[in-house]
Amino acid sequence: MVSHIAVPTGNRVINETLGIDWSNWDFPTHLPYSQRAMPDFWPTEVIAAPASAIALTYAEQSLDLAAIDIAEPGSDRRMSIDELISRRMSNDALLIMHKGQVVHESYRDGMTETDRHVNHSTTKSLTTLLLGMAIEDGLVDPQAPLTDYLEVFRDLKAWNQITVQHALDMRTGLRYVEHYEDPDCICWSYFRATGYYPPLADTHKGYVDWIRSEMAALEDTPGERFNYASPMTNALGLVASAVYGASVASLLETKIFQHIGAEADAWLNLDPSGVAVTEGQLSLTLRDFARWASLFLNEGRNLAGQQVAPADFIADISIPRKELQAAWRQGDYVDMAPQGQYRHQTYVLDAHGSQLAMLGIHGQFCLIDLDKELLIVGYGSHPAQADQVLTEALLSFWDCIRQQYV
């Protein structure tokens, strides 16, 4: 069952020899170490794996990435996909599955198959399946105000105008910006409040305190504009916890992780007040990432064909909707996918809803082609949280892999 891990005191050291700790974990050269060591500087709950795993099936003929070349993003030079992965995506681990069989699995930059790696924002899509279950169980109405289930924010006028569906689709209208390249962006205040970095003197004490102080006002009409806002995913975790009367980690363990055939325990980090950071702090092995993500490819079924997550909730992600596409076009990510939309904390990259994505800072990703039955998961240690080099490399890589399966 779920259990707590004690948090080291002081500097919360990750690697004493190399001088890596809580204060500098995301320095570019530190990322390959720190992203595999989240419990060393976060309060953490362990999500236990089942007694036996569902074995992955490996294709007789693997996909040789070294034999495939591609145009280098931003130039006409040709390079191998293997070079693109290592030098442009700063990839730590990669797994490609086609029609239920693994056609490629590789590890680099010190990572091994037994390591757990933080998922960052791919965590959003994975953990939000709990809301799909709560909706299916009749415990949550997606059109109801979020505050019907979150008493802690009920006195905030703006929050009473936001529905659960608005939060699922990042269309809350709340005043918030998440621009990692801007050191003065409000997102850094949020990250510090929830425990990504040591607290400053006299600053917020956890997620709820930060929301009440910094994210309690509207700037748009809810529903009109896509605005990527990581703090909203934690609110969805709180909703699931409230309606089921259990911790988020416990719910993830009993409702999902025990049923996907995971092979190793997972980690879920908590903020200083104990709120689950479901927007970005789940750590998994690469293979367990693939097992969990495959629910989105297989209509909620695990690799053994058993139903785990609600098929309707997952199918709803890929249904093209004019209102979602219109909201998307007003957001910051439209250049990445001009015909896209965002549904249930998951990206839809094309107008037809056949290509889905989960994306996390520093190069974490899951890419799904529903028509080709193709799934790709990857972990990375890209020096920047997000930039054009990484985005273009990822999109080029995705298109090239898709073309291998006509």
Side-chain angles (χ1 to χ4, degrees):
M1 296 297 293
V2 171
S3 61
H4 285 276
I5 292 178
V7 178
T9 59
N11 287 333
R12 305 188 185 186
V13 175
I14 298 165
N15 189 308
E16 185 173 7
T17 300
L18 300 178
I20 306 174
D21 60 32
W22 189 17
S23 68
N24 61 25
W25 70 270
D26 64 347
F27 285 15
T29 55
H30 296 176
L31 287 169
Y33 299 89
S34 58
Q35 290 187 121
R36 295 182 279 115
M38 291 292 121
D40 289 347
F41 63 107
W42 281 79
T44 303
E45 285 186 305
V46 173
I47 301 172
S52 60
I54 297 175
L56 299 182
T57 301
Y58 289 79
E60 291 185 8
Q61 184 172 353
S62 61
L63 183 64
D64 183 5
L65 298 185
I68 305 170
D69 72 351
I70 188 172
E72 179 188 36
S75 80
D76 296 326
R77 188 174 81 88
R78 303 300 293 183
M79 63 193 312
S80 71
I81 285 192
D82 195 53
E83 187 180 6
L84 178 85
I85 290 166
S86 299
R87 302 299 298 274
R88 298 296 180 271
M89 291 163 52
S90 302
N91 182 260
D92 297 330
L94 177 69
L95 189 148
I96 303 173
M97 188 179 293
H98 181 238
K99 292 187 175 181
Q101 294 189 317
V102 178
V103 296
H104 176 87
E105 181 179 0
S106 59
Y107 300 88
R108 56 194 60 79
D109 211 9
M111 187 168 172
T112 71
E113 63 189 41
T114 59
D115 285 324
R116 278 149 287 205
H117 192 295
V118 64
N119 278 66
H120 291 305
S121 287
T122 66
T123 300
K124 292 177 169 69
S125 309
L126 301 175
T127 60
T128 297
L129 290 178
L130 291 178
L131 269 293
M133 295 176 176
I135 291 168
E136 184 179 63
D137 291 342
L139 299 175
V140 170
D141 176 359
Q143 302 308 321
L146 199 59
T147 50
D148 280 7
Y149 313 100
L150 289 182
E151 184 177 356
V152 68
F153 298 139
R154 202 166 291 166
D155 62 321
L156 303 179
K157 182 179 179 180
W159 278 68
N160 286 297
Q161 301 177 58
I162 301 166
T163 67
V164 173
Q165 194 64 59
H166 289 149
L168 283 167
D169 299 341
M170 296 289 191
R171 295 184 294 142
T172 66
L174 289 168
R175 184 179 298 123
Y176 178 82
V177 179
E178 193 156 327
H179 291 164
Y180 309 118
E181 74 283 358
D182 178 3
D184 297 321
C185 182
I186 193 172
C187 67
W188 295 107
S189 168
Y190 159 73
F191 294 142
R192 195 171 291 278
T194 46
Y196 281 81
Y197 309 98
L200 301 175
D202 301 321
T203 54
H204 309 97
K205 297 175 176 63
Y207 171 75
V208 171
D209 179 54
W210 185 88
I211 288 288
R212 297 183 61 82
S213 172
E214 306 295 336
M215 201 173 172
L218 293 174
E219 69 175 356
D220 297 309
T221 302
E224 287 190 351
R225 183 172 72 93
F226 168 76
N227 182 32
Y228 189 81
S230 286
M232 294 311 303
T233 315
N234 297 343
L236 293 171
L238 289 173
V239 168
S241 181
V243 299
Y244 282 114
S247 73
V248 174
S250 173
L251 293 172
L252 292 174
E253 180 179 288
T254 59
K255 291 183 173 295
I256 299 177
F257 207 60
Q258 288 283 317
H259 305 286
I260 61 171
E263 62 186 51
D265 293 348
W267 302 326
L268 181 65
N269 298 136
L270 312 177
D271 89 333
S273 68
V275 171
V277 187
T278 51
E279 55 85 0
Q281 286 301 310
L282 180 68
S283 293
L284 301 165
T285 67
L286 180 70
R287 292 172 182 169
D288 285 343
F289 185 12
R291 289 181 172 93
W292 200 325
S294 70
L295 297 175
F296 290 77
L297 179 63
N298 299 323
E299 299 176 320
R301 296 186 299 272
N302 66 18
L303 294 175
Q306 301 160 329
Q307 198 71 40
V308 176
D312 289 345
F313 185 81
I314 290 174
D316 191 54
I317 295 170
S318 56
I319 297 173
R321 286 181 168 81
K322 291 183 178 179
E323 69 274 16
L324 291 179
Q325 292 169 348
W328 174 262
R329 287 193 295 270
Q330 296 183 61
D332 291 339
Y333 293 5
V334 66
D335 290 343
M336 178 183 73
Q339 300 183 75
Q341 64 182 38
Y342 190 85
R343 185 71 164 177
H344 296 170
Q345 302 279 297
T346 303
Y347 297 93
V348 181
L349 300 179
D350 65 320
H352 306 294
S354 64
Q355 298 177 44
L356 311 181
M358 311 171 196
L359 301 171
I361 58 172
H362 298 299
Q364 325 319 316
F365 65 89
C366 169
L367 298 164
I368 297 172
D369 189 310
L370 297 172
D371 294 340
K372 295 178 183 291
E373 299 179 62
L374 180 65
L375 179 145
I376 310 175
V377 292
Y379 288 134
S381 292
H382 189 72
Q385 284 84 8
D387 66 8
Q388 197 65 22
V389 172
L390 177 59
T391 299
E392 293 297 329
L394 186 58
L395 292 175
S396 297
F397 166 72
W398 173 228
D399 285 342
C400 189
I401 295 299
R402 288 180 65 245
Q403 291 169 20
Q404 308 307 308
Y405 298 97
V406 179

